[in-house]
């Protein structure tokens, strides 16, 4: 009855947007923050939501994208080159990290 004990090692933990970012990167190789927001919105859309309701998820997507990049799980890229997650501008994409430095 208690959900405090998790026995599934494969069960995702944490933010659902972060999990979606990872899943989309696995599926497509890379994804854009807009695609993540649109996909998340499509999964959670209510009948009364406007068509551009995905825009409200852009800030949470960017926050999770930066968090995942700082933890070395993904890379934020601009023009195909990895950028510093603390200092980037413009149109970017997200891809799985190419190297794990541990």
């Amino acid at each position: 009855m208690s959900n405090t004990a998790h026995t599934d090692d494969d069960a995702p933990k944490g933010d659902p947007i972060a999990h979606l970012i990872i899943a989309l990167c696995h599926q497509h190789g890379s994804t854009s923050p807009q695609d993540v927001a649109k996909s998340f919105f499509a999964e959670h859309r209510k009948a009364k939501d406007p068509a551009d309701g995905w825009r409200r998820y852009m800030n949470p997507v960017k926050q999770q994208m930066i968090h995942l990049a700082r933890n070395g799980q993904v890379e934020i890229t601009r023009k195909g080159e990895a950028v510093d997650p603390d200092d980037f501008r413009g149109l970017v994409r997200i891809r799985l990290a190419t190297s794990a430095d541990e």
Side-chain angles (χ1 to χ4, degrees), residues 36-102:
V36 175
K38 288 176 182 180
S39 181
F40 190 80
F41 176 65
E43 292 175 15
H44 296 87
R45 186 173 186 177
K46 296 181 176 79
K48 62 181 166 85
D49 287 337
D52 68 346
W54 62 270
R55 293 178 186 276
R56 81 177 92 145
Y57 296 109
M58 283 302 295
N59 279 335
V61 167
K62 288 177 184 177
Q63 290 170 346
Q64 288 302 319
M65 169 182 77
I66 291 168
H67 173 74
L68 291 169
R70 286 178 181 157
N71 288 335
Q73 294 176 278
V74 300
E75 292 178 334
I76 301 169
T77 63
R78 184 162 195 268
K79 297 182 180 179
E81 298 294 322
V83 297
D84 181 353
D86 296 317
D87 185 28
F88 66 91
R89 305 188 137 172
L91 297 175
V92 295
R93 292 193 62 82
I94 311 160
R95 68 181 180 203
L96 294 174
T98 55
S99 66
D101 295 333
E102 282 201 27

Side-chain angles (χ1 to χ4, degrees), residues 13-49:
K13 296 170 182 64
D15 191 278
I17 292 176
H19 297 293
L20 182 59
I21 291 169
I22 298 294
L24 290 174
C25 287
H26 275 293
Q27 288 175 4
H28 304 289
S30 71
T31 189
S32 71
Q34 293 84 357
D35 289 340
V36 175
K38 288 176 182 180
S39 181
F40 190 80
F41 176 65
E43 292 175 15
H44 296 87
R45 186 173 186 177
K46 296 181 176 79
K48 62 181 166 85
D49 287 337

